[in-house]
């Protein structure tokens, strides 16, 4: 098999049977189970064979890029989430209109960085788990629990090439919640996160303008500005800035602004200040 | 007629009974009494301690178990079954804390125990747990709770209840004497529990064990 050779897969013994990840008998027709597990060809050890993709100096030159800028920060009135919308495949801009914020449910948002398919699929699985929790326990799931569910799911596939750096944002009875979860199984909480190739630029702008006591307008402006500056300097970020505000009553989509418009707006502001 | 339908747990009788479950409830009625009372700021559990033989250390007979810092459990029925159930419930409490980062709510852990009991009424080759359980505690938001489960796997929330030997008469006593004023005072709740228990227990203080839980405080 040509593809198997290129990818450096050791074993070419593809049997008809497949191995479910966490159970012995795998039922393809069971929707409940099949969305939580993937079948892996028998006899192939995924950890052994997929490290060719994840290791840096391997012979395999198929490379996954993580070009993006996403950010989120907590402040006194909730959480601000801002993302860019560019998807790149190497030096080629595949799309300028990608939706990188995934609406898990009316009070939980997830951002997308890394593999788009990985993020959107697993966050949909998370949405399902959150809904089941809500029905069973008659109360909304907390942001801590939701992010833990996602982190545990993803940890099962650690080393197998999932690429995902997502921020789970929400508002629960403990107040605003922000967790960073990635495909290495990392799960952190903090007041401010930025993920992606442009995150370094965004952090610079965020750190210089951030206070807990911002008002809503200032916070939204800060988020938008940080993304703009990241798209300005980072080649792999661009397109439009999608801005969301997570409040006690749930999330609200604020605006979608082209970075070119922002560029001229900020330029005019600078000119006005000079005078 | 009934003897043909009471062997296997998984078989219904023609008039819709699961005899094994009903016999399990009989086993509960033979167990020593336990009383639970829920007040506004306090929950009290009283259990009847069986008389111990002269040479037996009475400390080893524990009828009240702590499931977590804020949940306690008393049972009536087969002690050995209770041990298993308590172990599983304790593990589930910690597991819940790990995945959800919140201590269990009373409803959740009661539901878990009830589900466990129900599973044993529907599987092959296993008999139901022969015990009823009273679960007390405070939820994360501070509200006191008292739940009761029985061998069939159902659970209900109560303001005051009794299980075990003479449960019926104790419950009647509680129904007569439980009022909202009593619930509002901690001391009155304790007194009510004691009085209810003394209705059915022979002589005095030696045979009664009382367990008190107040909001934010460990078990006393």
């Amino acid at each position: 098999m040509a593809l198997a050779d290129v990818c450096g897969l050791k074993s070419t013994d593809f049997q008809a049977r497949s191995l479910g990840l966490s159970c012995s008998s795998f039922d393809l027709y069971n929707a409940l189970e099949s969305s939580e597990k993937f079948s892996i060809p028998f006899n192939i050890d995924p950890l052994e064979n997929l490290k060719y993709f994840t290791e840096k100096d391997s012979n395999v030159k198929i490379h996954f890029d993580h070009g993006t800028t996403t950010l989120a920060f907590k402040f006194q009135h909730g959480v601000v989430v801002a993302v860019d919308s560019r998807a790149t495949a190497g030096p080629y801009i595949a799309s300028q209109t990608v939706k990188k914020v995934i609406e898990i449910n009316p009070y939980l948002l997830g951002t997308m960085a890394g593999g788009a398919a990985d993020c959107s699929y697993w966050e949909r699985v998370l949405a399902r788990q959150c809904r089941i929790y809500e029905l069973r326990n008659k109360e909304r799931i907390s942001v801590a629990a939701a992010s833990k569910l996602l982190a545990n799911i993803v940890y099962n596939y650690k080393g197998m090439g999932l690429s995902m750096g997502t921020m789970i944002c929400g508002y629960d009875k403990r107040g605003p919640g922000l967790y960073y979860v990635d495909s290495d199984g990392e799960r952190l909480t903090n007041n401010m996160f930025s993920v992606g190739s442009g995150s370094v630029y965004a952090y610079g702008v965020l750190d210089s303008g951030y206070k807990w006591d911002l008002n809503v307008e200032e916070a939204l402006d800060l988020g938008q500005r940080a993304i703009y500056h990241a798209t300005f300097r980072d080649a792999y970020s661009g397109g439009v800035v999608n801005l969301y505000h997570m409040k006690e009553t749930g999330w609200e989509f604020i605006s979608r602004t082209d970075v070119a418009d922002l560029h001229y707006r900020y330029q005019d502001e600078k000119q006005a200040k000079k005078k | 007629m009934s003897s043909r339908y009471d062997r296997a747990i998984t078989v219904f009788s023609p008039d819709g009974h699961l005899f094994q479950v009903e016999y399990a409830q009989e086993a509960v009625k033979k167990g020593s009494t336990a009383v639970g009372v829920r007040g506004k700021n306090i929950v009290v559990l009283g259990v009847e301690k069986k008389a111990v033989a002269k040479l037996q250390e009475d400390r080893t007979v524990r009828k009240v178990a702590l499931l977590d810092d804020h949940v306690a459990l008393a049972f009536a029925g087969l002690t050995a079954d209770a041990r298993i159930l308590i172990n599983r419930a304790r593990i589930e409490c910690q597991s819940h804390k790990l995945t959800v980062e919140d201590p269990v709510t009373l409803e959740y852990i009661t539901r878990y125990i009830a589900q466990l009991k129900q599973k044993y009424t529907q599987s092959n080759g296993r008999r139901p747990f022969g015990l009823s359980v009273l679960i007390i505690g405070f939820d994360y938001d501070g509200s006191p709770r008292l739940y009761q489960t029985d061998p069939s796997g159902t659970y209900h929330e109560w303001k005051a209840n009794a299980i075990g030997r003479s449960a019926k008469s104790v419950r009647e006593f509680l129904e007569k004497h439980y009022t909202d004023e009593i619930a509002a005072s901690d001391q009155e709740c304790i007194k009510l529990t004691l009085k209810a228990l003394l209705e059915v227990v022979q002589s005095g203080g030696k045979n009664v064990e009382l367990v008190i839980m107040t909001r934010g405080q460990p078990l006393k």
Side-chain angles (χ1 to χ4, degrees):
Chain A
M1 294 226 185
L3 188 58
D5 282 333
V6 170
C7 297
L9 287 176
K10 288 241 162 67
S11 167
T12 51
D13 182 11
F14 292 108
Q15 296 187 354
R17 282 180 291 159
S18 57
L19 187 69
L21 190 56
S22 39
C23 70
S24 51
S25 69
F26 183 76
D27 187 4
L28 275 168
Y29 303 106
N30 184 350
L32 190 66
E33 288 182 31
S34 63
S35 70
E36 280 178 14
K37 302 164 196 152
F38 284 124
S39 64
I40 303 171
F42 204 57
N43 263 355
I44 290 187
D45 177 14
L47 284 166
E48 177 61 35
N49 286 301
L50 287 171
K51 72 176 184 213
Y52 293 120
F53 291 100
T54 50
E55 268 178 18
K56 279 220 181 115
D57 357 282
S58 69
N59 289 328
V60 177
K61 297 296 177 190
I62 298 178
H63 210 51
F64 299 122
D65 288 320
H66 312 242
T68 193
T69 311
T70 61
L71 65 86
F73 60 88
K74 285 197 268 192
F75 71 116
Q76 65 173 336
H77 294 298
V79 192
V80 168
V81 182
V83 297
D84 78 313
S85 67
R86 177 175 290 183
T88 51
Y92 173 68
I93 295 178
S95 166
Q96 291 271 65
T97 52
V98 179
K99 278 199 68 184
K100 295 191 189 177
V101 171
I102 294 153
E103 298 151 8
I104 297 173
N105 61 40
Y107 52 92
L108 271 180
L109 285 176
T111 63
M112 179 201 297
D118 291 335
C119 286
S120 58
Y121 181 79
W122 291 112
E123 285 180 15
R124 283 197 64 157
V125 172
L126 180 64
R128 198 199 68 174
Q129 290 295 90
C130 290
R131 181 62 182 147
I132 290 178
Y133 180 99
E134 206 181 306
L135 286 169
R136 281 197 183 135
N137 296 290
K138 295 179 207 150
E139 65 165 13
R140 282 191 198 166
I141 192 170
S142 66
V143 190
S147 60
K148 202 148 216 183
L149 281 176
L150 184 64
N152 287 340
I153 293 174
V154 158
Y155 183 75
N156 279 326
Y157 297 96
K158 186 176 163 85
M160 297 191 202
L162 275 188
S163 161
M164 194 178 91
T166 178
M167 294 181 286
I168 304 292
C169 328
Y171 210 109
D172 58 26
K173 62 186 185 218
R174 291 205 192 112
L178 177 58
Y179 285 83
Y180 165 74
V181 176
D182 78 10
S183 44
D184 295 328
E186 189 94 68
R187 175 178 167 268
L188 304 165
T189 183
N190 204 344
N191 283 339
M192 178 199 302
F193 281 112
S194 178
V195 182
S197 55
S199 62
V200 278
Y201 310 107
Y203 271 130
V205 175
L206 278 177
D207 287 333
S208 62
Y210 176 76
K211 278 190 309 235
W212 179 263
D213 319 300
L214 292 167
N215 67 38
V216 177
E217 224 182 281
E218 289 173 342
L220 292 172
D221 180 70
L222 180 65
Q224 208 174 42
R225 210 175 274 264
I227 294 284
Y228 158 72
H229 281 287
T231 60
F232 187 63
R233 284 291 175 183
D234 179 30
Y236 295 106
S237 304
V240 300
V241 180
N242 281 319
L243 196 57
Y244 286 76
H245 180 205
M246 175 69 68
K247 300 184 282 224
E248 203 172 337
T249 50
W251 57 260
E252 188 194 331
F253 175 69
I254 306 291
S255 65
R256 145 195 217 97
T257 333
D258 195 316
V259 290
D261 296 335
L262 287 175
H263 173 79
Y264 292 115
R265 195 196 306 173
Y266 295 144
Q267 207 175 47
D268 292 340
E269 275 175 20
K270 259 198 260 178
Q271 299 288 46
K273 265 199 208 155
K274 269 196 204 157
K275 290 179 197 158
Chain B
M1 198 55 171
S2 72
S3 61
R4 285 183 56 202
Y5 297 99
D6 60 10
R7 285 290 135 149
I9 177 60
T10 50
V11 176
F12 275 110
S13 73
D15 53 350
H17 292 247
L18 278 172
F19 277 112
Q20 283 297 312
V21 174
E22 297 192 358
Y23 296 162
Q25 280 161 345
E26 290 296 317
V28 170
K29 286 199 202 136
K30 294 221 167 65
S32 49
T33 321
V35 176
V37 171
R38 181 188 91 195
K40 257 216 208 134
N41 304 314
I42 187 177
V43 263
V44 189
L45 264 182
V47 291
E48 172 199 354
K49 277 210 298 210
K50 275 218 168 76
V52 292
K54 260 172 65 173
L55 293 174
Q56 188 177 15
E57 296 272 11
D58 70 347
R59 287 259 186 87
T60 57
V61 184
R62 304 250 58 198
K63 288 222 37 171
V64 178
L66 199 61
L67 292 184
D68 199 352
D69 296 327
H70 61 297
V71 188
L73 171 153
F75 61 90
L78 275 53
T79 317
D81 284 2
R83 215 173 46 230
I84 304 291
L85 211 58
I86 290 170
N87 275 337
R88 298 276 272 272
R90 280 177 176 157
I91 292 176
E92 181 62 24
C93 281
Q94 297 312 312
S95 188
H96 184 273
K97 247 196 223 170
L98 183 61
T99 48
V100 180
E101 289 192 352
D102 249 338
V104 288
T105 60
L106 272 271
E107 209 254 332
Y108 179 90
I109 194 65
T110 311
R111 206 171 353 121
Y112 175 78
I113 291 177
Q115 262 168 9
L116 198 55
K117 284 187 176 177
Q118 193 277 343
K119 222 194 293 186
Y120 278 66
T121 67
Q122 216 175 4
S123 51
N124 224 344
R126 299 202 243 193
R127 62 164 178 80
F129 285 99
L131 61 143
S132 275
V133 159
L134 278 179
I135 301 174
I136 61 158
F138 282 86
D139 276 339
Y140 186 69
D141 60 1
S143 51
R145 305 260 176 205
L146 167 65
Y147 283 93
Q148 182 231 356
T149 67
D150 66 1
S152 63
T154 57
Y155 68 95
H156 301 277
E157 185 171 4
W158 292 78
K159 293 191 192 144
N161 198 6
I163 52 176
R165 189 177 16 236
S166 335
K168 228 171 168 224
S169 40
V170 180
R171 205 173 303 132
E172 276 165 12
F173 178 88
L174 285 170
E175 272 175 27
K176 259 192 267 171
H177 291 89
Y178 184 89
T179 61
D180 283 333
E181 288 112 30
I182 290 192
S185 148
D186 293 356
Q187 287 295 89
E188 289 297 318
C189 284
I190 300 173
K191 270 202 258 176
L192 180 65
T193 317
L194 267 174
K195 271 197 258 181
L197 209 48
L198 289 173
E199 283 264 311
V200 291
V201 167
Q202 319 110 317
S203 61
K206 258 211 226 155
N207 298 353
V208 169
E209 189 179 332
L210 212 63
V211 158
I212 300 167
M213 193 178 268
T214 46
R215 190 173 296 120
Q217 302 265 359
L219 204 65
K220 278 193 274 214

Short mmCIF file of all heavy atoms in Angstrom, two decimals, chain A residues 206-243:
data_model
loop_
_atom_site.label_atom_id
_atom_site.label_comp_id
_atom_site.label_asym_id
_atom_site.label_seq_id
_atom_site.Cartn_x
_atom_site.Cartn_y
_atom_site.Cartn_z
N LEU A 206 -2.54 42.03 24.95
CA LEU A 206 -3.42 41.73 26.09
C LEU A 206 -2.76 42.12 27.40
O LEU A 206 -3.37 42.76 28.25
CB LEU A 206 -3.75 40.24 26.13
CG LEU A 206 -4.86 39.72 25.23
CD1 LEU A 206 -4.97 38.22 25.37
CD2 LEU A 206 -6.16 40.39 25.58
N ASP A 207 -1.52 41.70 27.56
CA ASP A 207 -0.86 41.98 28.84
C ASP A 207 -0.74 43.46 29.11
O ASP A 207 -0.81 43.91 30.25
CB ASP A 207 0.54 41.33 28.87
CG ASP A 207 0.46 39.83 29.02
OD1 ASP A 207 -0.53 39.36 29.60
OD2 ASP A 207 1.39 39.13 28.54
N SER A 208 -0.55 44.25 28.03
CA SER A 208 -0.37 45.67 28.30
C SER A 208 -1.70 46.35 28.59
O SER A 208 -1.72 47.40 29.22
CB SER A 208 0.35 46.35 27.14
OG SER A 208 -0.43 46.25 25.99
N GLY A 209 -2.80 45.79 28.17
CA GLY A 209 -4.08 46.49 28.38
C GLY A 209 -5.03 45.83 29.36
O GLY A 209 -6.12 46.35 29.60
N TYR A 210 -4.65 44.72 29.96
CA TYR A 210 -5.61 43.94 30.76
C TYR A 210 -5.70 44.40 32.20
O TYR A 210 -4.70 44.66 32.85
CB TYR A 210 -5.22 42.47 30.72
CG TYR A 210 -6.11 41.60 31.59
CD1 TYR A 210 -7.38 41.26 31.18
CD2 TYR A 210 -5.68 41.16 32.84
CE1 TYR A 210 -8.20 40.48 31.96
CE2 TYR A 210 -6.49 40.38 33.63
CZ TYR A 210 -7.75 40.04 33.19
OH TYR A 210 -8.55 39.26 33.99
N LYS A 211 -6.98 44.47 32.67
CA LYS A 211 -7.25 44.69 34.10
C LYS A 211 -8.49 43.89 34.39
O LYS A 211 -9.35 43.76 33.53
CB LYS A 211 -7.59 46.17 34.35
CG LYS A 211 -6.44 47.11 34.48
CD LYS A 211 -6.92 48.47 34.96
CE LYS A 211 -8.08 49.00 34.16
NZ LYS A 211 -7.86 50.32 33.60
N TRP A 212 -8.66 43.43 35.61
CA TRP A 212 -9.90 42.73 35.95
C TRP A 212 -11.09 43.66 35.85
O TRP A 212 -12.19 43.27 35.47
CB TRP A 212 -9.80 42.16 37.36
CG TRP A 212 -11.05 41.44 37.77
CD1 TRP A 212 -12.07 41.98 38.51
CD2 TRP A 212 -11.44 40.11 37.45
NE1 TRP A 212 -13.07 41.05 38.68
CE2 TRP A 212 -12.72 39.90 38.05
CE3 TRP A 212 -10.86 39.09 36.72
CZ2 TRP A 212 -13.40 38.68 37.93
CZ3 TRP A 212 -11.55 37.88 36.62
CH2 TRP A 212 -12.79 37.69 37.23
N ASP A 213 -10.84 44.96 36.18
CA ASP A 213 -11.97 45.88 36.28
C ASP A 213 -12.30 46.59 34.99
O ASP A 213 -12.83 47.69 35.03
CB ASP A 213 -11.70 46.95 37.34
CG ASP A 213 -11.03 46.37 38.55
OD1 ASP A 213 -11.63 45.49 39.16
OD2 ASP A 213 -9.90 46.80 38.86
N LEU A 214 -12.02 46.00 33.85
CA LEU A 214 -12.43 46.64 32.60
C LEU A 214 -13.93 46.66 32.50
O LEU A 214 -14.60 45.78 33.05
CB LEU A 214 -11.89 45.84 31.42
CG LEU A 214 -10.38 45.82 31.20
CD1 LEU A 214 -10.00 44.73 30.21
CD2 LEU A 214 -9.92 47.17 30.68
N ASN A 215 -14.48 47.66 31.80
CA ASN A 215 -15.90 47.55 31.52
C ASN A 215 -16.07 46.80 30.20
O ASN A 215 -15.12 46.54 29.49
CB ASN A 215 -16.60 48.92 31.54
CG ASN A 215 -16.14 49.81 30.41
OD1 ASN A 215 -15.90 49.35 29.29
ND2 ASN A 215 -15.99 51.09 30.70
N VAL A 216 -17.33 46.46 29.89
CA VAL A 216 -17.58 45.54 28.78
C VAL A 216 -17.00 46.08 27.48
O VAL A 216 -16.33 45.37 26.71
CB VAL A 216 -19.09 45.27 28.64
CG1 VAL A 216 -19.35 44.38 27.44
CG2 VAL A 216 -19.61 44.60 29.89
N GLU A 217 -17.25 47.37 27.23
CA GLU A 217 -16.79 47.95 25.96
C GLU A 217 -15.28 47.88 25.82
O GLU A 217 -14.73 47.52 24.78
CB GLU A 217 -17.22 49.41 25.94
CG GLU A 217 -17.80 49.88 24.64
CD GLU A 217 -18.13 51.35 24.77
OE1 GLU A 217 -19.17 51.65 25.36
OE2 GLU A 217 -17.31 52.17 24.30
N GLU A 218 -14.60 48.25 26.93
CA GLU A 218 -13.12 48.25 26.88
C GLU A 218 -12.60 46.83 26.66
O GLU A 218 -11.65 46.61 25.90
CB GLU A 218 -12.56 48.77 28.21
CG GLU A 218 -12.77 50.24 28.43
CD GLU A 218 -12.35 50.66 29.84
OE1 GLU A 218 -12.24 49.78 30.72
OE2 GLU A 218 -12.15 51.86 30.03
N ALA A 219 -13.24 45.86 27.34
CA ALA A 219 -12.75 44.49 27.23
C ALA A 219 -12.91 43.98 25.81
O ALA A 219 -12.02 43.35 25.24
CB ALA A 219 -13.50 43.60 28.21
N LEU A 220 -14.09 44.25 25.20
CA LEU A 220 -14.31 43.79 23.84
C LEU A 220 -13.31 44.43 22.90
O LEU A 220 -12.76 43.80 21.99
CB LEU A 220 -15.74 44.09 23.40
CG LEU A 220 -16.82 43.30 24.14
CD1 LEU A 220 -18.20 43.82 23.78
CD2 LEU A 220 -16.73 41.83 23.80
N ASP A 221 -13.07 45.71 23.11
CA ASP A 221 -12.11 46.40 22.25
C ASP A 221 -10.71 45.80 22.40
O ASP A 221 -9.99 45.62 21.41
CB ASP A 221 -12.09 47.90 22.61
CG ASP A 221 -11.10 48.65 21.75
OD1 ASP A 221 -11.38 48.79 20.54
OD2 ASP A 221 -10.04 49.03 22.26
N LEU A 222 -10.34 45.48 23.66
CA LEU A 222 -9.02 44.90 23.89
C LEU A 222 -8.86 43.58 23.14
O LEU A 222 -7.85 43.34 22.48
CB LEU A 222 -8.81 44.69 25.40
CG LEU A 222 -7.46 44.09 25.79
CD1 LEU A 222 -6.33 45.03 25.44
CD2 LEU A 222 -7.43 43.77 27.28
N GLY A 223 -9.90 42.73 23.24
CA GLY A 223 -9.82 41.44 22.56
C GLY A 223 -9.67 41.60 21.06
O GLY A 223 -8.82 40.98 20.41
N GLN A 224 -10.46 42.50 20.53
CA GLN A 224 -10.43 42.71 19.08
C GLN A 224 -9.08 43.26 18.63
O GLN A 224 -8.49 42.84 17.63
CB GLN A 224 -11.52 43.72 18.73
CG GLN A 224 -12.06 43.56 17.35
CD GLN A 224 -13.23 44.50 17.13
OE1 GLN A 224 -13.20 45.65 17.54
NE2 GLN A 224 -14.24 43.99 16.49
N ARG A 225 -8.57 44.19 19.43
CA ARG A 225 -7.28 44.80 19.10
C ARG A 225 -6.16 43.77 19.14
O ARG A 225 -5.28 43.75 18.27
CB ARG A 225 -6.99 45.91 20.11
CG ARG A 225 -6.17 47.05 19.62
CD ARG A 225 -6.11 48.11 20.72
NE ARG A 225 -7.24 49.01 20.63
CZ ARG A 225 -7.20 50.18 20.01
NH1 ARG A 225 -6.10 50.58 19.41
NH2 ARG A 225 -8.27 50.94 19.97
N ALA A 226 -6.21 42.90 20.13
CA ALA A 226 -5.14 41.90 20.26
C ALA A 226 -5.12 40.98 19.04
O ALA A 226 -4.06 40.66 18.49
CB ALA A 226 -5.33 41.10 21.54
N ILE A 227 -6.31 40.55 18.60
CA ILE A 227 -6.36 39.68 17.42
C ILE A 227 -5.85 40.45 16.20
O ILE A 227 -5.08 39.92 15.38
CB ILE A 227 -7.79 39.17 17.16
CG1 ILE A 227 -8.25 38.26 18.29
CG2 ILE A 227 -7.86 38.43 15.84
CD1 ILE A 227 -7.65 36.89 18.26
N TYR A 228 -6.26 41.69 16.08
CA TYR A 228 -5.82 42.48 14.93
C TYR A 228 -4.30 42.53 14.86
O TYR A 228 -3.69 42.32 13.80
CB TYR A 228 -6.40 43.89 14.98
CG TYR A 228 -5.57 44.86 14.16
CD1 TYR A 228 -5.60 44.80 12.77
CD2 TYR A 228 -4.67 45.74 14.76
CE1 TYR A 228 -4.81 45.62 12.01
CE2 TYR A 228 -3.88 46.57 14.00
CZ TYR A 228 -3.94 46.51 12.62
OH TYR A 228 -3.13 47.31 11.87
N HIS A 229 -3.67 42.83 15.99
CA HIS A 229 -2.21 42.94 15.99
C HIS A 229 -1.55 41.62 15.65
O HIS A 229 -0.52 41.59 14.97
CB HIS A 229 -1.72 43.46 17.34
CG HIS A 229 -1.89 44.93 17.50
ND1 HIS A 229 -1.10 45.85 16.84
CD2 HIS A 229 -2.78 45.65 18.22
CE1 HIS A 229 -1.50 47.07 17.15
NE2 HIS A 229 -2.53 46.97 17.98
N ALA A 230 -2.16 40.52 16.10
CA ALA A 230 -1.60 39.21 15.77
C ALA A 230 -1.72 38.96 14.27
O ALA A 230 -0.78 38.48 13.63
CB ALA A 230 -2.34 38.11 16.55
N THR A 231 -2.87 39.33 13.68
CA THR A 231 -3.02 39.08 12.24
C THR A 231 -2.09 39.98 11.44
O THR A 231 -1.67 39.64 10.34
CB THR A 231 -4.47 39.32 11.78
OG1 THR A 231 -4.80 40.70 12.06
CG2 THR A 231 -5.43 38.43 12.49
N PHE A 232 -1.78 41.12 12.01
CA PHE A 232 -0.90 42.05 11.30
C PHE A 232 0.49 41.46 11.14
O PHE A 232 1.09 41.56 10.07
CB PHE A 232 -0.84 43.37 12.09
CG PHE A 232 -0.11 44.45 11.40
CD1 PHE A 232 -0.57 44.96 10.19
CD2 PHE A 232 1.06 44.99 11.93
CE1 PHE A 232 0.10 45.97 9.53
CE2 PHE A 232 1.74 46.01 11.28
CZ PHE A 232 1.27 46.50 10.08
N ARG A 233 0.99 40.84 12.21
CA ARG A 233 2.37 40.36 12.15
C ARG A 233 2.49 38.90 11.78
O ARG A 233 3.51 38.46 11.24
CB ARG A 233 3.03 40.59 13.53
CG ARG A 233 3.40 42.03 13.77
CD ARG A 233 4.53 42.47 12.90
NE ARG A 233 4.84 43.89 13.02
CZ ARG A 233 5.77 44.52 12.31
NH1 ARG A 233 6.47 43.86 11.42
NH2 ARG A 233 5.99 45.81 12.50
N ASP A 234 1.50 38.07 12.11
CA ASP A 234 1.61 36.63 11.87
C ASP A 234 1.02 36.31 10.50
O ASP A 234 -0.11 36.67 10.19
CB ASP A 234 0.86 35.86 12.97
CG ASP A 234 0.92 34.36 12.75
OD1 ASP A 234 1.93 33.88 12.18
OD2 ASP A 234 -0.03 33.66 13.16
N ALA A 235 1.81 35.63 9.66
CA ALA A 235 1.31 35.32 8.32
C ALA A 235 0.17 34.32 8.34
O ALA A 235 -0.68 34.30 7.45
CB ALA A 235 2.46 34.78 7.47
N TYR A 236 0.14 33.49 9.37
CA TYR A 236 -0.85 32.42 9.37
C TYR A 236 -2.16 32.81 10.04
O TYR A 236 -3.03 31.97 10.24
CB TYR A 236 -0.27 31.19 10.08
CG TYR A 236 0.89 30.60 9.34
CD1 TYR A 236 2.19 30.76 9.81
CD2 TYR A 236 0.71 29.91 8.15
CE1 TYR A 236 3.26 30.23 9.12
CE2 TYR A 236 1.77 29.38 7.45
CZ TYR A 236 3.05 29.55 7.94
OH TYR A 236 4.12 29.03 7.26
N SER A 237 -2.29 34.08 10.40
CA SER A 237 -3.56 34.53 10.98
C SER A 237 -4.08 35.68 10.17
O SER A 237 -3.32 36.50 9.67
CB SER A 237 -3.36 35.01 12.41
OG SER A 237 -2.78 34.01 13.20
N GLY A 238 -5.41 35.76 10.05
CA GLY A 238 -5.99 36.85 9.28
C GLY A 238 -7.46 36.63 9.08
O GLY A 238 -8.10 35.85 9.79
N GLY A 239 -7.99 37.35 8.09
CA GLY A 239 -9.41 37.16 7.78
C GLY A 239 -10.26 38.15 8.55
O GLY A 239 -10.10 39.36 8.40
N VAL A 240 -11.16 37.63 9.38
CA VAL A 240 -12.01 38.49 10.18
C VAL A 240 -11.84 38.15 11.65
O VAL A 240 -11.38 37.06 11.99
CB VAL A 240 -13.50 38.36 9.80
CG1 VAL A 240 -13.74 38.70 8.36
CG2 VAL A 240 -13.98 36.97 10.08
N VAL A 241 -12.20 39.12 12.50
CA VAL A 241 -12.16 38.87 13.95
C VAL A 241 -13.58 38.55 14.39
O VAL A 241 -14.49 39.37 14.22
CB VAL A 241 -11.66 40.11 14.71
CG1 VAL A 241 -11.64 39.81 16.20
CG2 VAL A 241 -10.29 40.50 14.23
N ASN A 242 -13.78 37.36 14.95
CA ASN A 242 -15.08 37.00 15.51
C ASN A 242 -15.04 37.23 17.00
O ASN A 242 -14.15 36.71 17.69
CB ASN A 242 -15.39 35.52 15.23
CG ASN A 242 -15.89 35.32 13.82
OD1 ASN A 242 -16.67 36.11 13.31
ND2 ASN A 242 -15.42 34.27 13.18
N LEU A 243 -15.97 38.01 17.50
CA LEU A 243 -15.93 38.43 18.90
C LEU A 243 -17.16 37.92 19.64
O LEU A 243 -18.29 38.09 19.17
CB LEU A 243 -15.90 39.96 18.94
CG LEU A 243 -15.49 40.66 20.23
CD1 LEU A 243 -14.12 40.20 20.65
CD2 LEU A 243 -15.47 42.16 19.99
#
